[in-house]
Amino acid sequence: MLPSKQRPNGVKIQNLAAVLGSKLIRLSFLAVVPICFAASEIRAQRIAVVTPDKAISSERFAVALGKDLSTEFKVLDSSLVQSAYRANAPAFPFNLSTQEVRNLGSRVGCDYIIILRAELQRRNASGRSDYYEAYAPIWLFSSRSGRLIYWRLARHESTTPSVAVQMLDSSTITLVKEIAASVRRASDRELSEEPAPAVEEVPETYTSAAGNFRPPIPFRRVKPLYTADASFYDVAATVDILADIAADGTILRTEMVRTAGFGLDESVESAVRSMKWRPAERDGKFISMRVLLRYNFKKLDKE
């Protein structure tokens, strides 16, 4: 046995261990808190699923997706969402502008909007037997910013149509994980993002600001690629992009204000950023300018 005069030290060591254990427990708890907070935060987000084409295949897929989304979000009632949507439906629901998204989000009362359609097509290709493809393009927008924050073309093939459909419906669990991750990234971005810088926009014709003014133009135009996916699915769409062009002709910033999916948005941004620009000019002086650029896409062999 230790001498009595050494016992207090042993007591101190035991007390210190207890204190450290308590602190470790607290630290472990604090480490868990952000994860729990993030999980509860995303579950508070209201998400609406819209099927503009009203097709049975689209509504079936929307039900399957909505069921799995409910584990991560507050999914709004589909009948109420569809009623609010059809009260003032946009002309081109699969080619929305940021303003149309914000307007729709305000009417529906949601934080995020999913626009989708689902179809089953019989396909044929050289060197293989006919097959069936069940596919669903999915657009996920933030109602606050109007931005497209996630796009995915889910597609599955089988020689049996019912199997292809079943495979598509079974993919919703993976899709929900991707959607939840996109929502987290978008939320973080919107919370930390600085407001767009104040840059002059191209003035209206016949106004005083248009006097002695020359807009920015590219030295060499680059045509955005009409992507393979867009061609395969016969996509006709418009992509609008805002570009801030500095007084030295460099691109300061771009912002998509009408999106299409199918890789067309990325194609447009790549083309715009690769062009060399002659900057805007007023009274013989180069100035920074914000311009709206519009690109229309369609398959050439289509009327």
Side-chain angles (χ1 to χ4, degrees):
M1 179 178 291
L2 291 174
S4 59
K5 64 179 180 179
Q6 294 181 1
R7 290 176 189 171
N9 290 334
V11 172
K12 287 180 182 180
I13 291 172
Q14 290 177 351
N15 290 340
L16 179 60
V19 170
L20 288 174
S22 175
K23 288 185 177 180
L24 287 173
I25 292 172
R26 290 174 187 171
L27 288 172
S28 299
F29 173 75
L30 289 173
V32 172
V33 167
I35 299 173
C36 295
F37 178 74
S40 62
E41 184 180 26
I42 195 171
R43 287 194 178 94
Q45 301 295 318
R46 298 162 299 172
I47 193 165
V49 182
V50 181
T51 53
D53 64 355
K54 299 182 287 186
I56 293 175
S57 55
S58 298
E59 294 180 353
R60 183 208 67 251
F61 182 69
V63 169
L65 182 63
K67 181 179 179 181
D68 288 328
L69 281 170
S70 64
T71 63
E72 297 282 354
F73 303 93
K74 181 179 180 181
V75 180
L76 302 187
D77 181 83
S78 60
S79 60
L80 296 178
V81 168
Q82 293 295 101
S83 296
Y85 168 79
R86 293 185 179 118
N88 189 16
F92 302 101
F94 303 113
N95 192 194
L96 296 175
S97 69
T98 52
Q99 187 58 56
E100 287 173 324
V101 171
R102 288 193 291 265
N103 292 343
L104 179 58
S106 178
R107 290 201 310 275
V108 173
C110 60
D111 302 299
Y112 296 91
I113 303 171
I114 290 176
I115 304 286
L116 65 81
R117 71 174 189 266
E119 297 184 31
L120 176 69
Q121 294 285 344
R122 185 173 181 173
R123 307 287 192 190
N124 57 70
S126 59
R128 61 177 297 186
S129 302
D130 288 1
Y131 63 97
Y132 293 87
E133 180 191 33
Y135 67 94
I138 302 164
W139 292 258
L140 170 64
F141 297 94
S142 166
S143 299
R144 290 182 286 269
S145 66
R147 290 172 178 155
L148 179 67
I149 63 171
Y150 170 85
W151 186 86
R152 173 75 183 273
L153 177 61
R155 51 186 175 185
H156 296 273
E157 300 174 4
S158 175
T159 55
T160 305
S162 59
V163 173
V165 170
Q166 183 180 10
M167 292 169 68
L168 178 64
D169 290 349
S170 298
S171 68
T172 55
I173 295 176
T174 299
L175 293 172
V176 167
K177 291 179 181 178
E178 295 175 359
I179 288 169
S182 297
V183 166
R184 291 187 182 96
R185 287 193 296 269
S187 180
D188 290 343
R189 177 184 177 184
E190 290 172 358
L191 288 173
S192 61
E193 187 177 30
E194 296 292 332
V199 178
E200 184 178 350
E201 299 182 5
V202 176
E204 295 288 341
T205 308
Y206 306 119
T207 62
S208 58
N212 298 318
F213 169 79
R214 186 172 64 177
I217 61 172
F219 289 113
R220 181 178 64 87
R221 296 185 182 275
V222 177
K223 185 178 180 180
L225 176 68
Y226 185 64
T227 62
D229 277 344
S231 178
F232 186 78
Y233 292 96
D234 297 338
V235 174
T238 297
V239 175
D240 290 341
I241 184 171
L242 287 173
D244 293 355
I245 302 173
D248 62 0
T250 59
I251 300 290
L252 297 174
R253 175 180 171 273
T254 60
E255 175 77 14
M256 288 291 172
V257 291
R258 184 180 296 276
T259 54
F262 295 92
L264 296 176
D265 309 324
E266 294 82 358
S267 177
V268 165
E269 182 167 10
S270 177
V272 169
R273 286 189 172 275
S274 68
M275 287 188 279
K276 305 300 181 183
W277 291 81
R278 186 188 71 186
E281 186 178 348
R282 177 178 288 122
D283 298 325
K285 181 181 179 181
F286 292 130
I287 58 174
S288 298
M289 182 66 58
R290 177 170 295 154
V291 296
L292 174 65
L293 304 171
R294 172 165 291 173
Y295 295 89
N296 297 312
F297 295 92
K298 67 176 182 178
K299 199 167 184 176
L300 293 179
D301 59 356
K302 293 290 180 180
E303 295 294 333

